[in-house]
């Protein structure tokens, strides 16, 4: 039986090596499983973080859209105010021109010099109120070229229209 002993010893050696290999594989498998679990946890954390960032991006996009809409409304309002300011400036210029015409007409009727240097007669030309109510261009019935002012007699219309508005050069 001496032949069996060396085989039995060799078998035991092989079994020991196989056991060591299986233990090494089990340890390596355990390490791989731990690494896989760690990778899965990191993936889950990354996925959750990506979802949070996507939600934040969506919220910021909504905020930007709201701010753009608010900016558009502000620009439209600004344009309306600018249009209104332009209209008010035009009305103020018209009122100033009407006042000059009235002052010139009073001065002409009183025989005083006309133009920018004409002096107002306080009793007949009171100062304009602080917040004048101007007629609109559609309803204003002031002097028109070729027509005498309302209330003037035909004989006093020889100087009408004023020189700056006459149709013939002087």
């Amino acid at each position: 039986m001496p032949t069996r002993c060396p085989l039995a010893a060799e078998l035991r050696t092989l079994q020991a090596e196989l056991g060591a290999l299986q233990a090494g594989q089990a340890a390596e498998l355990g390490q791989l499983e731990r690494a896989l679990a760690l990778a899965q946890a990191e993936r889950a954390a990354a996925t959750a973080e990506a979802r949070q960032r996507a939600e934040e991006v969506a919220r910021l996009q909504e905020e930007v859209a709201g701010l753009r809409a608010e900016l558009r409304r502000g620009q439209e309002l600004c344009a309306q105010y600018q249009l209104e300011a332009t209209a008010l400036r035009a009305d103020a210029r018209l009122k100033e021109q009407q006042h000059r015409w009235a002052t010139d007409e009073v001065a002409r009727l009183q025989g005083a010099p006309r133009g920018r240097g004409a002096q107002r007669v306080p009793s007949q030309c009171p100062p304009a109120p602080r917040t004048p109510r101007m007629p609109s261009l559609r309803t204003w019935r002031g002097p028109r070229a070729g027509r005498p002012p309302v209330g003037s007699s035909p004989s006093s219309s020889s100087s009408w229209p004023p020189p700056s508005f006459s149709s013939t050069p002087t």
Side-chain angles (χ1 to χ4, degrees):
M1 286 259 194
T3 58
R4 281 189 168 193
C5 268
L7 286 176
E10 192 177 324
L11 180 63
R12 279 187 285 239
T13 306
L14 287 175
Q15 285 176 342
E17 286 178 17
L18 180 63
L21 285 175
Q22 286 177 342
Q25 283 180 343
E28 191 175 329
L29 180 62
Q31 288 176 346
L32 289 175
E33 286 175 347
R34 284 189 296 276
L36 177 63
L38 182 62
Q40 287 175 338
E42 288 175 356
R43 178 178 170 225
T47 302
E49 186 176 340
R51 187 179 9 232
Q52 288 176 344
R53 289 183 189 240
E55 290 171 359
E56 179 71 11
V57 166
R59 186 190 65 76
L60 290 173
Q61 286 174 336
E62 288 176 9
E63 187 176 338
V64 166
L67 290 172
R68 283 183 178 152
E70 187 177 335
L71 176 63
R72 264 193 311 278
R73 285 189 301 269
Q75 288 171 336
E76 290 169 359
L77 186 61
C78 182
Q80 289 175 352
Y81 284 152
Q82 287 174 345
L83 184 62
E84 186 175 339
T86 301
L88 288 172
R89 282 188 211 102
D91 286 347
R93 283 191 295 271
L94 180 63
K95 184 66 174 179
E96 184 180 328
Q97 187 177 22
Q98 289 174 352
H99 183 72
R100 272 186 273 153
W101 287 343
T103 302
D104 287 350
E105 184 64 16
V106 167
R108 186 188 66 76
L109 292 173
Q110 291 179 346
R114 295 188 315 181
R116 286 191 179 252
Q119 296 191 3
R120 286 191 344 200
V121 177
S123 63
Q124 294 190 8
C125 292
R130 291 243 215 226
T131 55
R133 170 102 172 115
M134 291 183 43
S136 73
L137 292 175
R138 292 185 208 125
T139 60
W140 182 64
R141 303 208 189 288
R144 291 177 241 145
R147 295 178 129 178
V150 177
S152 65
S153 64
S155 62
S156 68
S157 65
S158 59
S159 67
W160 188 259
S164 62
F165 293 96
S166 67
S167 58
T168 58
T170 55

